Structures are given as structure tokens and as C-alpha cells.
Amino acid sequence: MRRVLAVLAAMPLIFFAAGCGSDDAASGGSTGVKVAGNPGAKPTVTFPSGSPATKSSYEVIQAGSGAEIKTGDKVIVNLTVWDWDGKTNAAQGSSYDTKAPETISVNEQLPQVLQEGFTKVKHGGRLLAVLANDSVPQQQQQTSPAEPTKVFVFDVVGTQPPALKAATGKETKESIKGVKVENPGGEKAPTLTTKTGEKPPGELVVKTVIEGTGAKVQPNQTLAVHYTGKIWGTDKQFDSSWERGEAAEFPLSGVIQGWQQGLAGVPVGSRVVMSIPPNLGYGDQEQPNIPANSTLVFVVDVLAAY
């Protein structure tokens, strides 16, 4: 899963799958929720008396004057969220407190009100969104207890640049003994060869094949990467995003330790080759196409980090 909104522990509503909830994205200030303050500072919210709203909606508080937001953008926001229960209406957290803006992909995985609402504000704008249980997939409503209505205030900071198509930068000529990486150039996949009689390293080894010039990957970020994975010594390939024709996207904190340790600090745009010992991979647990106690070798292009 993406790191989106990880600063707030209880926020399942924002991860709903495509096509869920109501098809009608209501707008306008009909909920009675009032937002005070200006974008760029933590907002305050006043709730109306009575029961919480039962219909999801959004309201543009300030439109902003920067670039427009389009479907498919990865928008960087400061956000603050409350549980609207009609009683305490307690604040649940704010990126203004953590000083760590979040990145949200504006796509079909968002509730409909957010898909539409984000495209109605520009950089520098402020969006109010109310997410009630009509945004919850019907199947989830039947199996999970109802969540309090959530009230979000999003301040749009900017958008992430599109991910690269492949590593770009200067070739370093670095390599791991026994492993070969060939760089065809452009947006073509590299060739990884791991057929070798060399003994696999007992520790994690990471070598930069192409050194990118982007920001360094942080451990708490979500990455977009292209990669190929093989077993040390056999040249047996067990996975390749290149062959699937689509880059992989995941939180760095959610993958094997070898990736977490090996990719943290790598500049975006880089291509690295990593030899990962079993204790930082899958250990003695056999995986599909990966025997137990395998040393894994990956060539990874870091295309984006957010």
C-alpha cells in the first residue's frame, strides 16, 4: 500500500477501491462545517449542532492560483482530519503537526468526492471534504463496523513530477563480483546475469550502476521502480516489472529488509544492483520461484519517490 495518509492511523475511507460508494460527488457548503484560517497554516473547524452528515461531499474553501490539478496527478498536501461524531468531533491528526506533507494519487482508488474535489482546486488552494459511510464499499459495510464521518481539510502544496521511464544519469562502471549488468541505454530494460561460480556475499551488497541526480530516497517514502530479480548462481529469473510492462509502486517500509536497507539514500534516477542474503530476504521460507535460503540479486531503477 502507498504511504498516503500514514501519519493518521485510522483512516480507511481514503483507500477505497475503484467504483465504490456513491457515484454522486456532492459539492457546496451544505454540511454546515466552517473552516477558518488561510492555506499554509493549520486550519480550525467549527461543526454544526446535531447529527453528523451522512452523505459525502466536498467544498472548495479557496481555489488557489497555481497550477491546475488533473486526474492522474500525485498531489502534495498538508491535511488535517477530524472524526465528526456529533459529540466531541475530535481532531485525529495533522501533517502541520508532523511537518510532513503527504502525497495522494488522484485516481480511481480515491472516493469519488476526492477524485472530483481535487480537480476543482489549484496549487495553493484549500479543499474541505466530508467522507461519510456512503463512501464505504457495500461489502465492507456488511463486514465492518461503521466508521465516524471524517472531515478533511487539504491544503495543496504542489504536485509530484511524473515518474521517470528508466534510470538516467552517469554510468559508474561499478559491479558486484560474479554479477553482470548491461545497460542498453534509453528506456530499455537492463540485462542482469547471475550465472556464476562465485560464492554469494554473506552480507547486503549494493552497487550503483547509473547514478541519478534526484533527491535521495527516504525510508518512509513510496517508490516507483522498475526491477528484475534473479537467484544468485543460477541466472533463474523470478520476477521482472519490465516484462509486465509497468513499473511497481510500493511503500519502502513494506518490502523485504534488503530493499529497505539497500534503497534508502539512493538518488532518484539511479540504477543499482543488489545482492541480498537470505536473512534480509525470505530466509528459509520458500516463495514462488524462489527456493528457501536463496541469495537474491536485483537490478533496480528508482523512478520516483514521494
Side-chain angles (χ1 to χ4, degrees), residues 24-26 54-58 113 130-135:
D24 298 323
T54 57
K55 183 175 178 59
S56 298
S57 63
Y58 72 87
V113 291
V130 175
L131 295 185
N133 276 285
D134 65 341
S135 290

mmCIF file with all atom_site columns, all heavy atoms in Angstrom, residues 24-26 54-58 113 130-135:
data_model
loop_
_atom_site.group_PDB
_atom_site.id
_atom_site.type_symbol
_atom_site.label_atom_id
_atom_site.label_alt_id
_atom_site.label_comp_id
_atom_site.label_asym_id
_atom_site.label_entity_id
_atom_site.label_seq_id
_atom_site.pdbx_PDB_ins_code
_atom_site.Cartn_x
_atom_site.Cartn_y
_atom_site.Cartn_z
_atom_site.occupancy
_atom_site.B_iso_or_equiv
_atom_site.pdbx_formal_charge
_atom_site.auth_seq_id
_atom_site.auth_comp_id
_atom_site.auth_asym_id
_atom_site.auth_atom_id
_atom_site.pdbx_PDB_model_num
ATOM 1   N N   . ASP A 1 24  ? -22.291 9.967  -6.964 1.00 0.00 ? 24  ASP A N   1
ATOM 2   C CA  . ASP A 1 24  ? -22.572 11.397 -6.996 1.00 0.00 ? 24  ASP A CA  1
ATOM 3   C C   . ASP A 1 24  ? -21.644 12.124 -6.045 1.00 0.00 ? 24  ASP A C   1
ATOM 4   O O   . ASP A 1 24  ? -21.717 11.951 -4.832 1.00 0.00 ? 24  ASP A O   1
ATOM 5   C CB  . ASP A 1 24  ? -24.026 11.658 -6.582 1.00 0.00 ? 24  ASP A CB  1
ATOM 6   C CG  . ASP A 1 24  ? -25.006 10.994 -7.540 1.00 0.00 ? 24  ASP A CG  1
ATOM 7   O OD1 . ASP A 1 24  ? -24.708 10.984 -8.745 1.00 0.00 ? 24  ASP A OD1 1
ATOM 8   O OD2 . ASP A 1 24  ? -26.030 10.475 -7.075 1.00 0.00 ? 24  ASP A OD2 1
ATOM 9   N N   . ALA A 1 25  ? -20.787 12.950 -6.584 1.00 0.00 ? 25  ALA A N   1
ATOM 10  C CA  . ALA A 1 25  ? -19.875 13.734 -5.761 1.00 0.00 ? 25  ALA A CA  1
ATOM 11  C C   . ALA A 1 25  ? -20.536 15.078 -5.473 1.00 0.00 ? 25  ALA A C   1
ATOM 12  O O   . ALA A 1 25  ? -20.581 15.953 -6.322 1.00 0.00 ? 25  ALA A O   1
ATOM 13  C CB  . ALA A 1 25  ? -18.538 13.933 -6.471 1.00 0.00 ? 25  ALA A CB  1
ATOM 14  N N   . ALA A 1 26  ? -21.067 15.204 -4.284 1.00 0.00 ? 26  ALA A N   1
ATOM 15  C CA  . ALA A 1 26  ? -21.777 16.435 -3.943 1.00 0.00 ? 26  ALA A CA  1
ATOM 16  C C   . ALA A 1 26  ? -20.794 17.534 -3.615 1.00 0.00 ? 26  ALA A C   1
ATOM 17  O O   . ALA A 1 26  ? -19.736 17.298 -3.046 1.00 0.00 ? 26  ALA A O   1
ATOM 18  C CB  . ALA A 1 26  ? -22.696 16.184 -2.747 1.00 0.00 ? 26  ALA A CB  1
ATOM 19  N N   . THR A 1 54  ? -24.472 12.403 6.665  1.00 0.00 ? 54  THR A N   1
ATOM 20  C CA  . THR A 1 54  ? -24.484 11.009 6.227  1.00 0.00 ? 54  THR A CA  1
ATOM 21  C C   . THR A 1 54  ? -24.184 10.878 4.740  1.00 0.00 ? 54  THR A C   1
ATOM 22  O O   . THR A 1 54  ? -24.145 9.771  4.210  1.00 0.00 ? 54  THR A O   1
ATOM 23  C CB  . THR A 1 54  ? -25.851 10.368 6.522  1.00 0.00 ? 54  THR A CB  1
ATOM 24  O OG1 . THR A 1 54  ? -26.869 11.121 5.876  1.00 0.00 ? 54  THR A OG1 1
ATOM 25  C CG2 . THR A 1 54  ? -26.112 10.327 8.027  1.00 0.00 ? 54  THR A CG2 1
ATOM 26  N N   . LYS A 1 55  ? -23.972 11.988 4.070  1.00 0.00 ? 55  LYS A N   1
ATOM 27  C CA  . LYS A 1 55  ? -23.658 11.988 2.642  1.00 0.00 ? 55  LYS A CA  1
ATOM 28  C C   . LYS A 1 55  ? -22.303 12.661 2.441  1.00 0.00 ? 55  LYS A C   1
ATOM 29  O O   . LYS A 1 55  ? -22.059 13.745 2.956  1.00 0.00 ? 55  LYS A O   1
ATOM 30  C CB  . LYS A 1 55  ? -24.733 12.725 1.841  1.00 0.00 ? 55  LYS A CB  1
ATOM 31  C CG  . LYS A 1 55  ? -24.503 12.696 0.327  1.00 0.00 ? 55  LYS A CG  1
ATOM 32  C CD  . LYS A 1 55  ? -25.664 13.336 -0.402 1.00 0.00 ? 55  LYS A CD  1
ATOM 33  C CE  . LYS A 1 55  ? -25.424 13.369 -1.917 1.00 0.00 ? 55  LYS A CE  1
ATOM 34  N NZ  . LYS A 1 55  ? -25.230 12.027 -2.490 1.00 0.00 ? 55  LYS A NZ  1
ATOM 35  N N   . SER A 1 56  ? -21.444 12.016 1.695  1.00 0.00 ? 56  SER A N   1
ATOM 36  C CA  . SER A 1 56  ? -20.118 12.571 1.418  1.00 0.00 ? 56  SER A CA  1
ATOM 37  C C   . SER A 1 56  ? -20.233 13.783 0.504  1.00 0.00 ? 56  SER A C   1
ATOM 38  O O   . SER A 1 56  ? -21.108 13.843 -0.362 1.00 0.00 ? 56  SER A O   1
ATOM 39  C CB  . SER A 1 56  ? -19.222 11.512 0.772  1.00 0.00 ? 56  SER A CB  1
ATOM 40  O OG  . SER A 1 56  ? -19.032 10.416 1.631  1.00 0.00 ? 56  SER A OG  1
ATOM 41  N N   . SER A 1 57  ? -19.341 14.742 0.714  1.00 0.00 ? 57  SER A N   1
ATOM 42  C CA  . SER A 1 57  ? -19.374 15.958 -0.095 1.00 0.00 ? 57  SER A CA  1
ATOM 43  C C   . SER A 1 57  ? -18.020 16.641 -0.036 1.00 0.00 ? 57  SER A C   1
ATOM 44  O O   . SER A 1 57  ? -17.153 16.268 0.751  1.00 0.00 ? 57  SER A O   1
ATOM 45  C CB  . SER A 1 57  ? -20.456 16.919 0.416  1.00 0.00 ? 57  SER A CB  1
ATOM 46  O OG  . SER A 1 57  ? -20.157 17.349 1.742  1.00 0.00 ? 57  SER A OG  1
ATOM 47  N N   . TYR A 1 58  ? -17.862 17.657 -0.877 1.00 0.00 ? 58  TYR A N   1
ATOM 48  C CA  . TYR A 1 58  ? -16.661 18.481 -0.814 1.00 0.00 ? 58  TYR A CA  1
ATOM 49  C C   . TYR A 1 58  ? -17.049 19.929 -1.027 1.00 0.00 ? 58  TYR A C   1
ATOM 50  O O   . TYR A 1 58  ? -18.113 20.244 -1.573 1.00 0.00 ? 58  TYR A O   1
ATOM 51  C CB  . TYR A 1 58  ? -15.613 18.050 -1.852 1.00 0.00 ? 58  TYR A CB  1
ATOM 52  C CG  . TYR A 1 58  ? -15.963 18.387 -3.278 1.00 0.00 ? 58  TYR A CG  1
ATOM 53  C CD1 . TYR A 1 58  ? -15.642 19.632 -3.828 1.00 0.00 ? 58  TYR A CD1 1
ATOM 54  C CD2 . TYR A 1 58  ? -16.627 17.477 -4.092 1.00 0.00 ? 58  TYR A CD2 1
ATOM 55  C CE1 . TYR A 1 58  ? -15.965 19.957 -5.135 1.00 0.00 ? 58  TYR A CE1 1
ATOM 56  C CE2 . TYR A 1 58  ? -16.950 17.785 -5.407 1.00 0.00 ? 58  TYR A CE2 1
ATOM 57  C CZ  . TYR A 1 58  ? -16.620 19.019 -5.912 1.00 0.00 ? 58  TYR A CZ  1
ATOM 58  O OH  . TYR A 1 58  ? -16.943 19.343 -7.207 1.00 0.00 ? 58  TYR A OH  1
ATOM 59  N N   . VAL A 1 113 ? -15.762 11.748 -4.145 1.00 0.00 ? 113 VAL A N   1
ATOM 60  C CA  . VAL A 1 113 ? -15.750 13.168 -3.780 1.00 0.00 ? 113 VAL A CA  1
ATOM 61  C C   . VAL A 1 113 ? -14.338 13.740 -3.833 1.00 0.00 ? 113 VAL A C   1
ATOM 62  O O   . VAL A 1 113 ? -14.158 14.915 -4.164 1.00 0.00 ? 113 VAL A O   1
ATOM 63  C CB  . VAL A 1 113 ? -16.369 13.410 -2.386 1.00 0.00 ? 113 VAL A CB  1
ATOM 64  C CG1 . VAL A 1 113 ? -17.854 13.151 -2.391 1.00 0.00 ? 113 VAL A CG1 1
ATOM 65  C CG2 . VAL A 1 113 ? -15.678 12.590 -1.313 1.00 0.00 ? 113 VAL A CG2 1
ATOM 66  N N   . VAL A 1 130 ? -15.927 15.957 3.257  1.00 0.00 ? 130 VAL A N   1
ATOM 67  C CA  . VAL A 1 130 ? -16.641 15.168 4.259  1.00 0.00 ? 130 VAL A CA  1
ATOM 68  C C   . VAL A 1 130 ? -16.827 13.775 3.684  1.00 0.00 ? 130 VAL A C   1
ATOM 69  O O   . VAL A 1 130 ? -17.424 13.610 2.615  1.00 0.00 ? 130 VAL A O   1
ATOM 70  C CB  . VAL A 1 130 ? -18.005 15.804 4.594  1.00 0.00 ? 130 VAL A CB  1
ATOM 71  C CG1 . VAL A 1 130 ? -18.781 14.897 5.547  1.00 0.00 ? 130 VAL A CG1 1
ATOM 72  C CG2 . VAL A 1 130 ? -17.818 17.181 5.201  1.00 0.00 ? 130 VAL A CG2 1
ATOM 73  N N   . LEU A 1 131 ? -16.286 12.774 4.373  1.00 0.00 ? 131 LEU A N   1
ATOM 74  C CA  . LEU A 1 131 ? -16.404 11.396 3.922  1.00 0.00 ? 131 LEU A CA  1
ATOM 75  C C   . LEU A 1 131 ? -17.255 10.617 4.919  1.00 0.00 ? 131 LEU A C   1
ATOM 76  O O   . LEU A 1 131 ? -16.812 10.310 6.026  1.00 0.00 ? 131 LEU A O   1
ATOM 77  C CB  . LEU A 1 131 ? -15.028 10.745 3.783  1.00 0.00 ? 131 LEU A CB  1
ATOM 78  C CG  . LEU A 1 131 ? -14.113 11.329 2.706  1.00 0.00 ? 131 LEU A CG  1
ATOM 79  C CD1 . LEU A 1 131 ? -12.829 10.521 2.600  1.00 0.00 ? 131 LEU A CD1 1
ATOM 80  C CD2 . LEU A 1 131 ? -14.807 11.358 1.360  1.00 0.00 ? 131 LEU A CD2 1
ATOM 81  N N   . ALA A 1 132 ? -18.476 10.356 4.507  1.00 0.00 ? 132 ALA A N   1
ATOM 82  C CA  . ALA A 1 132 ? -19.409 9.599  5.334  1.00 0.00 ? 132 ALA A CA  1
ATOM 83  C C   . ALA A 1 132 ? -19.392 8.140  4.897  1.00 0.00 ? 132 ALA A C   1
ATOM 84  O O   . ALA A 1 132 ? -18.678 7.750  3.967  1.00 0.00 ? 132 ALA A O   1
ATOM 85  C CB  . ALA A 1 132 ? -20.811 10.196 5.211  1.00 0.00 ? 132 ALA A CB  1
ATOM 86  N N   . ASN A 1 133 ? -20.232 7.316  5.543  1.00 0.00 ? 133 ASN A N   1
ATOM 87  C CA  . ASN A 1 133 ? -20.199 5.896  5.243  1.00 0.00 ? 133 ASN A CA  1
ATOM 88  C C   . ASN A 1 133 ? -20.821 5.539  3.908  1.00 0.00 ? 133 ASN A C   1
ATOM 89  O O   . ASN A 1 133 ? -20.759 4.382  3.501  1.00 0.00 ? 133 ASN A O   1
ATOM 90  C CB  . ASN A 1 133 ? -20.855 5.109  6.379  1.00 0.00 ? 133 ASN A CB  1
ATOM 91  C CG  . ASN A 1 133 ? -19.874 4.833  7.508  1.00 0.00 ? 133 ASN A CG  1
ATOM 92  O OD1 . ASN A 1 133 ? -19.002 3.983  7.406  1.00 0.00 ? 133 ASN A OD1 1
ATOM 93  N ND2 . ASN A 1 133 ? -20.008 5.590  8.593  1.00 0.00 ? 133 ASN A ND2 1
ATOM 94  N N   . ASP A 1 134 ? -21.394 6.515  3.184  1.00 0.00 ? 134 ASP A N   1
ATOM 95  C CA  . ASP A 1 134 ? -21.836 6.216  1.828  1.00 0.00 ? 134 ASP A CA  1
ATOM 96  C C   . ASP A 1 134 ? -20.658 6.033  0.886  1.00 0.00 ? 134 ASP A C   1
ATOM 97  O O   . ASP A 1 134 ? -20.816 5.550  -0.239 1.00 0.00 ? 134 ASP A O   1
ATOM 98  C CB  . ASP A 1 134 ? -22.783 7.298  1.289  1.00 0.00 ? 134 ASP A CB  1
ATOM 99  C CG  . ASP A 1 134 ? -22.098 8.652  1.128  1.00 0.00 ? 134 ASP A CG  1
ATOM 100 O OD1 . ASP A 1 134 ? -21.037 8.860  1.754  1.00 0.00 ? 134 ASP A OD1 1
ATOM 101 O OD2 . ASP A 1 134 ? -22.631 9.502  0.399  1.00 0.00 ? 134 ASP A OD2 1
ATOM 102 N N   . SER A 1 135 ? -19.453 6.398  1.353  1.00 0.00 ? 135 SER A N   1
ATOM 103 C CA  . SER A 1 135 ? -18.246 6.179  0.557  1.00 0.00 ? 135 SER A CA  1
ATOM 104 C C   . SER A 1 135 ? -17.658 4.798  0.774  1.00 0.00 ? 135 SER A C   1
ATOM 105 O O   . SER A 1 135 ? -16.731 4.402  0.076  1.00 0.00 ? 135 SER A O   1
ATOM 106 C CB  . SER A 1 135 ? -17.183 7.222  0.902  1.00 0.00 ? 135 SER A CB  1
ATOM 107 O OG  . SER A 1 135 ? -17.553 8.493  0.448  1.00 0.00 ? 135 SER A OG  1
#
